[in-house]
């Protein structure tokens, strides 16, 4: 009895310093375990930046306090590689979670058979923030708008065909009269930026956030000019840049651009593979939402200039239902416009 009283006093003392004490029975499955967070993008981009900060804080909100470590699956096709890997090659017990390019859930309908995954079956944990992608031209391109880009060949860098860096310029070629020459194979944002600076290319896609956080001098020195953005409405950071929806000429184009807007909403979303026990997915969802309200996490995000506009796993499931509800002819037309089909 005296021993139990001593333990109680120790626990009370720890709690006074803000340290939560969990009995072994409450720690459950994750006690003594490690969670691997697979990142389907370059180690130097915003996917990795979001993931590092999430990994630093989310473990505290999971019973058992597992350590979360990153595994980078970057490169020119990092999104597809990670999607295939997580869907087929990792334990389905809740010890592996992932993030992949936001276009991946829609890409499987645009490029049937190109991947070996099914994002509609994943267990969605939550989204830290939707991300606005854009197409922007380097100052040497001689164009600062879609209109000025028409009638001339401009070299655009991209990471791979499943990435917004390839998809969005291709859409402009199909529907806005541009003649972008797509050059694929660059490694993440760093590779795309280096290609422009070395005059290999004259523009790139990806998120405007990647410019704000990684290369703000491109803005202050007037070196990069966004000409179109995705999303259902203009981002406050790009008030003078039209959305794809604004340049749509008919209902088919509008439907295609809405598919793209849905993809952008996935933003920085995290998931586990199909087959993870429901109770563990629910636990991870609760931990994720608690992290989104964690003052230390929010302070780190503010310091890194990364926006936090979270969505729940249930909301992401609703987004998947919207993806599934898109008529097949819209996907067929979009695939053709993007060069995925003839």
């Amino acid at each position: 009895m005296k021993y139990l009283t001593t333990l109680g006093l120790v626990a009370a003392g720890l709690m006074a310093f803000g340290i939560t004490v969990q009995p072994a029975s409450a720690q459950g499955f994750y006690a003594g375990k490690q969670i691997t967070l697979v990142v389907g993008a370059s180690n130097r981009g915003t996917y990795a930046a979001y993931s590092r900060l999430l990994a630093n804080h989310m473990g505290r909100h999971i019973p058992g306090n597992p350590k979360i470590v990153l595994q980078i699956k970057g490169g020119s096709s990092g999104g597809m590689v990670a999607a295939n890997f997580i869907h087929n090659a990792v334990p389905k017990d809740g010890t592996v979670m992932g993030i992949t390019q936001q276009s991946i859930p829609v890409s499987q309908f645009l490029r049937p058979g190109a991947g070996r995954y099914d994002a509609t079956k994943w267990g969605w944990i939550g989204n830290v923030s939707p991300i606005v992608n854009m197409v922007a031209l380097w100052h040497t391109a001689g164009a600062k708008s879609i209109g000025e880009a028409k009638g001339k060949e401009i070299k655009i860098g991209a990471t791979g065909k499943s990435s917004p860096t390839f998809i969005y310029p291709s859409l402009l070629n199909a529907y806005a009269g541009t003649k972008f020459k797509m050059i694929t194979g660059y490694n993440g944002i760093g590779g795309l930026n280096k290609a422009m600076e070395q005059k290999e290319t004259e523009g790139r896609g990806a998120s405007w956030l990647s410019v704000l956080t990684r290369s703000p001098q491109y803005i202050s020195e007037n070196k990069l000019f966004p000409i179109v953005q995705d999303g259902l409405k203009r981002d406050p950071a790009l008030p003078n840049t039209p959305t794809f929806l604004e340049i749509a000429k008919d209902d088919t184009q509008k439907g295609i651009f809405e598919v793209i807007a849905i993809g952008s909403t996935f933003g920085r979303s995290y998931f586990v593979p199909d087959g993870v026990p429901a109770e563990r997915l629910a636990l991870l969802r609760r931990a994720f939402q608690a992290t989104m309200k964690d003052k230390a996490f929010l302070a780190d995000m503010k310091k890194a200039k990364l926006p936090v506009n979270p969505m729940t796993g249930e909301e992401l499931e609703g987004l998947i239902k919207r993806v599934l509800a898109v008529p097949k002819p819209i996907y067929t037309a979009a695939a053709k416009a993007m060069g995925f089909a003839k």
Side-chain angles (χ1 to χ4, degrees):
M1 189 72 173
K2 182 178 181 181
Y3 174 71
L4 292 176
T5 302
T6 301
L7 283 179
L9 290 172
V10 171
L14 290 172
M15 291 178 68
F17 286 95
I19 301 173
T20 301
V21 180
Q22 296 177 327
S25 59
Q27 293 179 11
F29 172 78
Y30 287 103
K33 289 186 172 64
Q34 175 177 288
I35 295 176
T36 299
L37 172 49
V38 179
V39 180
S42 163
N43 191 43
R44 298 185 293 172
T46 57
Y47 286 92
Y50 270 93
S51 299
R52 276 190 290 270
L53 293 180
L54 182 69
N56 287 346
H57 295 276
M58 183 172 164
R60 295 198 310 274
H61 299 282
I62 300 174
N65 305 128
K67 182 179 180 181
I68 302 177
V69 297
L70 266 58
Q71 181 178 355
I72 303 296
K73 289 279 184 181
S76 61
S77 299
M80 186 71 75
V81 169
N84 291 336
F85 177 70
I86 296 169
H87 193 80
N88 299 288
V90 305
K92 298 184 177 183
D93 60 358
T95 59
V96 178
M97 54 189 283
I99 182 173
T100 187
Q101 291 171 348
Q102 63 196 57
S103 57
I104 286 293
V106 171
S107 182
Q108 74 182 75
F109 296 95
L110 297 171
R111 304 173 64 196
R116 296 177 291 105
Y117 69 93
D118 186 352
T120 67
K121 295 182 179 180
W122 291 342
W124 292 94
I125 297 171
N127 181 5
V128 182
S129 183
I131 299 293
V132 173
N133 280 297
M134 51 80 201
V135 177
L137 301 181
W138 195 239
H139 62 100
T140 59
K144 299 179 182 178
S145 67
I146 294 175
E148 292 178 357
K150 295 179 181 179
K152 62 170 67 177
E153 184 178 270
I154 297 175
K155 294 177 289 185
I156 301 291
T159 57
K161 287 191 174 182
S162 64
S163 167
T165 60
F166 181 90
I167 292 172
Y168 295 170
S170 298
L171 283 172
L172 291 180
N173 282 349
Y175 295 122
T178 56
K179 297 181 179 180
F180 296 137
K181 180 180 179 180
M182 303 304 301
I183 303 174
T184 60
Y186 290 103
N187 186 7
I189 298 302
L192 294 172
N193 286 348
K194 186 176 180 180
M196 291 190 301
E197 293 172 356
Q198 294 182 344
K199 300 182 180 179
E200 293 178 16
T201 61
E202 301 165 287
R204 72 166 177 86
S207 68
W208 186 243
L209 178 64
S210 68
V211 181
L212 295 173
T213 58
R214 294 283 304 280
S215 308
Q217 72 276 12
Y218 289 174
I219 303 171
S220 61
E221 297 174 6
N222 294 316
K223 288 186 174 181
L224 192 66
F225 302 93
I227 63 172
V228 70
Q229 60 179 297
D230 64 5
L232 297 172
K233 59 183 180 180
R234 294 191 185 191
D235 188 277
L238 295 171
N240 300 315
T241 303
T243 65
F244 276 101
L245 286 170
E246 290 177 60
I247 67 172
K249 298 176 182 178
D250 54 43
D251 289 342
T252 297
Q253 290 186 21
K254 183 178 179 181
I256 292 169
F257 295 154
E258 284 180 345
V259 168
I260 299 304
I262 291 172
S264 73
T265 306
F266 277 98
R268 302 303 180 250
S269 293
Y270 295 85
F271 61 93
V272 292
D274 178 36
V276 170
E279 66 273 13
R280 289 177 199 162
L281 173 59
L283 187 153
L284 292 173
R285 284 178 170 179
R286 289 194 296 270
F288 182 89
Q289 290 304 313
T291 307
M292 295 303 101
K293 301 174 183 178
D294 186 307
K295 291 182 179 180
F297 170 76
L298 293 174
D300 282 350
M301 294 295 284
K302 183 177 181 180
K303 184 177 180 180
K305 299 180 180 179
L306 297 172
V308 178
N309 299 294
M311 296 175 65
T312 66
E314 290 82 1
E315 288 173 319
L316 291 173
E317 286 181 351
L319 209 56
I320 287 292
K321 291 179 181 178
R322 289 187 64 178
V323 171
L324 289 168
V326 173
K328 187 175 179 180
I330 293 296
Y331 281 123
T332 301
K336 185 176 180 180
M338 297 173 195
F340 299 150
K342 296 182 179 179

